[in-house]
Amino acid sequence: MPTIPSSLVDRLARARCVVVSTGAGMSAESGVPTFRAEGGLWTKFKPEELANVDAFLRNPQMVWEWYQSRRDVILNCSPNAGHTALVEMEPLVQGLTIVTQNIDGLHAAAGSTDVIELHGNIRRNFCQQCGERYDDASLLSMTEIPSCSCGGMIRPDVVWFGEMLPEKALARAERLCEEADVFISVGTSGVVYPAAGLALVAHQHHAFTVEINPEETPLTPYANVAISAAAGAVLPEVVRLLRERTAG
Ligand code: OAD
């Protein structure tokens, strides 16, 4: 059982605004592959051939098929104990918002009510040419890339390298990090900006900053508390201690 410092439980219980920033490690225990560790997606595939708009315009069918294969995996995954713990944390703390880099939709599937998706959501699509939205689930199993009524190609609603993050989502995330009393970074290698910069914003604005990750990251030096263990073990324990504190 990971040891949770009492300072974290105290800070959470007193906080008015809590931001939990999640990355691929959050969903690892659900069976969704991460990107950079051994066996991760970017150790087997080249992002420049699959996750940028030039690659899509050069070879749309190949990019579409790769995202369909990721959908096959993700749509068969369920939220894990860490996702569930964040849902259970909502009534135990004030003002909890999840800011995620994950595109798997597992926080919402678990039941979290306030989730900011910085990198989009693989369960949705839009037209590369006119922007028309295509959220129909039937597209998620199409092997041939579908076309829009305007003649454009339909692509997954995920942020590719070189693209801007959704403006309102990023602005709200930054504002919350400025206000946060507690900022918890879970399962991110902390190397992809602007998402990684949110931890620094929270730190600069004096949030109590926590990292949950079995490995050290560039964000670790900024953490008041770094818990070196898996999200699925740590977060349920934090919830248990918060409940104990509320009851006592
Ligand atoms: P990474 O694959 O870079 O990092 C995953 C992190 O999760 C690593 O630091 C692991 O040590 C940690 N980890 C693994 N299992 C864990 C567990 N059970 N509990 C807690 N931590 C665990 O993934 P991200 O940081 O999310 O962007 O990657 C950021 C972005 O890079 C992604 O959103 C994606 C990718 O390119 C886009 O596609 C735009």
Side-chain angles (χ1 to χ4, degrees):
M1 192 63 72
T3 306
I4 311 297
S6 57
S7 55
L8 168 57
V9 183
D10 288 347
R11 294 285 185 142
L12 279 172
R14 282 190 276 128
R16 297 242 168 120
C17 175
V18 177
V19 174
V20 181
S21 162
T22 67
M26 180 80 221
S27 297
E29 290 158 89
S30 294
V32 182
T34 60
F35 293 95
R36 292 174 181 80
E38 204 184 316
L41 291 175
W42 295 154
T43 67
K44 296 188 229 162
F45 302 100
K46 293 188 173 145
E48 60 276 17
E49 286 174 8
L50 294 163
N52 76 60
V53 77
D54 292 336
F56 180 70
L57 295 175
R58 257 194 328 268
N59 200 340
Q61 179 63 25
M62 183 184 77
V63 173
W64 178 259
E65 281 173 19
W66 190 69
Y67 278 93
Q68 293 303 70
S69 70
R70 290 189 65 194
R71 282 171 170 152
D72 284 346
V73 173
I74 287 170
L75 296 178
N76 283 304
C77 289
S78 308
N80 64 53
H83 294 107
T84 305
L86 288 177
V87 179
E88 292 170 351
M89 205 183 277
E90 281 190 20
L92 301 172
V93 302
Q94 284 183 53
L96 173 69
T97 302
I98 296 170
V99 180
T100 190
Q101 296 171 74
N102 298 343
I103 59 173
D104 54 38
L106 288 179
H107 285 299
S112 284
T113 58
D114 189 8
V115 184
I116 301 177
E117 294 179 321
L118 291 180
H119 291 170
N121 189 316
I122 201 167
R123 297 165 196 250
R124 303 187 302 250
N125 294 282
F126 69 92
C127 172
Q128 172 67 28
Q129 190 162 288
C130 72
E132 176 79 15
R133 308 211 57 84
Y134 286 90
D135 295 339
D136 181 350
S138 69
L139 266 63
L140 303 179
S141 54
M142 278 191 183
T143 46
E144 290 294 312
I145 183 167
S147 307
C148 178
S149 49
C150 79
M153 289 176 295
I154 295 175
R155 58 167 276 183
D157 186 4
V158 299
V159 175
W160 283 331
F161 287 99
E163 292 184 320
M164 303 292 282
L165 270 59
E167 206 177 322
K168 282 189 187 149
L170 180 61
R172 180 163 178 249
E174 284 172 341
R175 203 175 60 245
L176 285 167
C177 289
E178 288 171 10
E179 290 167 13
D181 302 301
V182 179
F183 177 93
I184 308 178
S185 166
V186 186
T188 176
S189 56
V191 294
V192 175
Y193 282 77
L198 294 175
L200 308 182
V201 172
H203 173 75
Q204 277 158 8
H205 287 79
H206 310 294
F208 186 77
T209 304
V210 181
E211 179 172 64
I212 300 172
N213 193 321
E215 308 288 336
E216 286 199 4
T217 76
L219 304 179
T220 312
Y222 299 95
N224 296 93
V225 166
I227 303 173
S228 178
V234 177
L235 291 168
E237 182 61 5
V238 173
V239 166
R240 191 185 71 75
L241 293 168
L242 271 170
R243 282 197 180 124
E244 211 172 78
R245 190 192 153 106
T246 317

